[in-house]
Amino acid sequence: MIYTHASVMLDEAVEKLITDVSGTYVDGTLGGGGHALEIISRLDGGRLIGIDRDQEAIDAASERLKGHNVSLVRDNFARLDEILDSLSIDRIDGMLLDLGVSSHQIDSAPRGFSYMHDAPLDMRMDTRQTLTAFDVVNAYSEDRLVKIFSGYGEERFSKRIARAIVDFRRSKTIDTTGQLVDVIKRAVPPIKGGGHPAKRVFQAIRIEVNDELSMLDGALKSAVNRLKIGGRLVVITFHSLEDRIVKSTFKELATDCICPKNIPVCVCGHRAQIKILGRAIAPTEEEIERNPRAKSAKLRAAEKIQSA
């Protein structure tokens, strides 16, 4: 299957990111290389580091970026420090993160990300890891499933769905996305407005399998730490959970004092490391018409002003 992915807010992201055309930049979520190609095309003597957990993404981007000054690394962007150290890079001029699952991963039925295709329960962005969606669905306790569905999926029928899954697996395992969708549909009432009843649960399981949220705050702080003064961090999110973490972390890093309000004198020694570059940006109506999956996207950007 050809790797296809429409890069969301392409121009807006790259324009926010690049401050020095001869600088070193990181695309921490390489995907098919759409953002990466636009970044490297605007550089003059600069360098790009592309990171992705998915070997299919690395292979596709390698072909797309052939002939450019790009280093591709199959790894997790949360390991930015280790990656840059291995490449003997101290500071970078900018980093881009386009979070969430790619269109290719959703549309590739065998990967098991989509509730629209019947496939083995997998959902791993990095197929080298052992934990899969099958393990989550068939081995997690009812209480743990409720916590995941409500916390990562904001699913209001979390308890009913978790109970239905546990009841079903008493007789046999849930092996495929199609089986899971059937269990969910029987557990919840029809959704007004036509939304798919499995959407939030699939999101929650994917986030759990790939540990997408717990690492995000630390990864953002590592990225800011590795930025040069004047360097930029640009982040595109696709659901409220991600965006909430990005917004909160940016706010913390842009604040001079984080002491509790009841302490009259600052004792934390915290100093702002970044300035936030305006409010979140949303896709244009034209882009949403071309790519409906961009509808929920938000872009936030920050610039480093001093080291910690």
Side-chain angles (χ1 to χ4, degrees), residues 3-248:
Y3 199 107
T4 56
H5 178 67
S7 299
V8 174
M9 290 188 278
L10 180 64
D11 289 333
E12 296 92 330
V14 177
E15 286 171 8
K16 287 281 189 184
L17 180 71
I18 296 176
T19 56
D20 180 356
V21 295
S22 63
T24 298
Y25 295 86
V26 175
D27 184 342
T29 46
L30 186 63
H35 282 116
L37 181 60
E38 186 65 22
I39 293 167
I40 199 68
S41 298
R42 298 193 190 191
L43 300 184
D44 184 5
R47 181 184 182 185
L48 179 67
I49 315 302
I51 303 169
D52 206 290
R53 292 190 266 183
D54 190 336
Q55 186 61 49
E56 290 182 5
I58 294 290
D59 292 342
S62 179
E63 184 65 28
R64 192 171 192 178
L65 300 170
K66 189 179 295 183
H68 293 286
N69 188 16
V70 178
S71 299
L72 303 184
V73 182
R74 187 185 182 190
D75 209 327
N76 190 324
F77 65 76
R79 285 177 28 86
L80 179 66
D81 287 326
E82 292 84 352
I83 294 167
L84 294 181
D85 288 346
S86 72
L87 296 171
S88 300
I89 297 172
D90 182 30
R91 299 291 171 184
I92 57 176
D93 295 270
M95 182 166 180
L96 171 67
L97 293 174
D98 179 5
L99 302 175
V101 65
S102 73
S103 297
H104 174 79
Q105 289 166 333
I106 294 173
D107 294 335
S108 180
R111 303 293 296 272
F113 283 99
S114 175
Y115 46 79
M116 300 302 291
H117 306 291
D118 189 23
L121 278 169
D122 193 324
M123 299 194 197
R124 291 173 296 171
M125 293 180 180
D126 187 342
T127 54
R128 297 172 298 184
Q129 75 176 49
T130 56
L131 182 68
T132 68
F134 176 90
D135 301 319
V136 172
V137 171
N138 290 284
Y140 279 23
S141 69
E142 183 176 334
D143 287 345
R144 194 172 180 187
L145 289 175
V146 171
K147 184 178 179 180
I148 290 168
F149 297 160
S150 61
Y152 292 162
E154 299 178 300
E155 171 57 65
R156 63 190 177 114
F157 296 112
S158 295
K159 291 183 179 180
R160 290 171 62 168
I161 294 170
R163 172 59 59 87
I165 288 172
V166 171
D167 287 344
F168 184 94
R169 72 191 194 194
R170 287 196 177 99
S171 57
K172 60 180 180 179
T173 58
I174 300 175
D175 299 313
T176 69
T177 55
Q179 287 178 314
L180 179 57
V181 168
D182 288 341
V183 171
I184 294 169
K185 284 182 174 179
R186 290 197 296 269
V188 301
I191 297 177
K192 294 180 180 180
H196 199 286
K199 180 179 179 179
R200 294 180 181 274
V201 170
F202 270 62
Q203 172 184 296
I205 296 171
R206 189 202 81 220
I207 289 172
E208 171 68 13
V209 168
N210 296 288
D211 193 24
E212 294 177 39
L213 296 183
S214 64
M215 66 179 181
L216 185 53
D217 174 74
L220 295 172
K221 290 175 179 176
S222 292
V224 168
N225 184 54
R226 299 301 288 244
L227 286 176
K228 297 176 182 177
I229 302 301
R232 302 275 183 88
L233 175 59
V234 178
V235 187
I236 301 172
T237 62
F238 289 86
H239 57 75
S240 61
L241 298 173
E242 292 172 338
D243 187 60
R244 202 174 300 146
I245 294 172
V246 175
K247 184 178 180 180
S248 175

Side-chain angles (χ1 to χ4, degrees), residues 282-294:
T284 63
E285 291 297 326
E286 291 77 12
E287 178 171 6
I288 294 171
E289 187 174 343
R290 293 194 310 270
N291 178 19
R293 287 175 178 167

